[in-house]
Amino acid sequence: MIDPIEKYRDWYNEAALGPGVDPKAVCLSTVDAAGRTAARMVLIQYFDERGSVFFTNIESRKAVSIASRPAVSFCAHWALLERQVRVEGFAALVTPAEADAYFATRPRESQIGAWASRQSQPLQSRVMLEARFAEFDRRYSGQAVPRPPFWSGYRIVPDRIEFWTGRPGRLHDRELFEREGPTWRTTLLFP
C-alpha cells in the first residue's frame, strides 16, 4: 500500500529541484466563526506522519479562525511538474518546546520581525512598522531573541490527501487517500 506522506515527500523533493519553486509554499484555507472563508499562502516548514507544520502569529486572522473552526485545508501546486496536492484536516497548536526549537533556527531578522509585526492588525504606515522593528532590534541587541508568546506553530493533522497530476486532454490523474484509523483508504477519482 502507498503511504501518502511518503508520496508527498517524494513529490516535494522533486519540486525542490525545479527552478524558482519553493516547495514549502501552499495556499491555506480557513473558515472563521461567521462561516467566511479565507485563503493565504503559508510555508509548510516540515511534515511527517503526524502532519504538516507552519508557524505564525497566533493573534492573526488565520489563527483566530483556526481557534473557532480548526478544520482547514491547503493546496500545494507545482505548475512545472503539473502536480498538486490537496490536504484536508484539523489544525492544532504545536507544543511550546517545538515552537521554541523552530524559532531558534530562524534568521535573526525574522525573529525580530515576529516581535515587530502585529499580524493582520491595521498599520498606520510603513514607518511605524520599521520603527517597531528597530525598537525590538535594540531591545535584543547582543542576545538571543526569545520566541514571542503570541507566536507559535500549527500542525495540520490530515484526514484526506489528494494527489493530482495533469494529463493531456484533461484526463488528469486524481488519487484520494482517506484516513481510516492508522491506515489510509485509496480511491481513484474522475478528473
Side-chain angles (χ1 to χ4, degrees), residues 38-115:
R40 81 287 288 150
M41 300 303 291
V42 300
L43 298 178
I44 297 295
Q45 295 298 342
Y46 51 88
F47 58 90
D48 58 24
E49 67 283 347
R50 298 173 300 156
S52 302
V53 179
F54 71 93
F55 292 87
T56 190
N57 182 315
I58 60 174
E59 296 171 352
S60 67
R61 181 177 175 201
K62 71 179 138 318
V64 170
S65 292
I66 290 169
S68 67
R69 294 186 178 195
V72 300
S73 65
F74 72 79
C75 183
H77 180 231
W78 302 307
L80 294 177
L81 298 175
E82 289 196 77
R83 289 181 174 168
Q84 73 178 13
V85 181
R86 291 182 11 185
V87 176
E88 299 173 21
F90 293 85
L93 284 168
V94 300
T95 65
E98 187 172 353
D100 288 343
Y102 177 74
F103 190 80
T105 70
R106 291 171 59 85
R108 181 177 177 80
E109 281 188 337
S110 296
Q111 292 174 334
I112 297 295
W115 279 99

Side-chain angles (χ1 to χ4, degrees), residues 7-17 22-25 44-45 47 78 83:
K7 184 169 182 169
Y8 183 76
R9 186 179 322 283
D10 290 344
W11 283 24
Y12 175 96
N13 289 336
E14 285 182 50
L17 298 174
D22 185 348
K24 294 179 177 183
I44 297 295
Q45 295 298 342
F47 58 90
W78 302 307
R83 289 181 174 168

Side-chain angles (χ1 to χ4, degrees), residues 131-147:
R132 286 179 58 83
F133 184 92
E135 172 192 340
F136 286 106
D137 194 31
R138 281 190 303 276
R139 180 182 297 178
Y140 295 114
S141 178
Q143 60 182 299
V145 179
R147 177 178 62 88

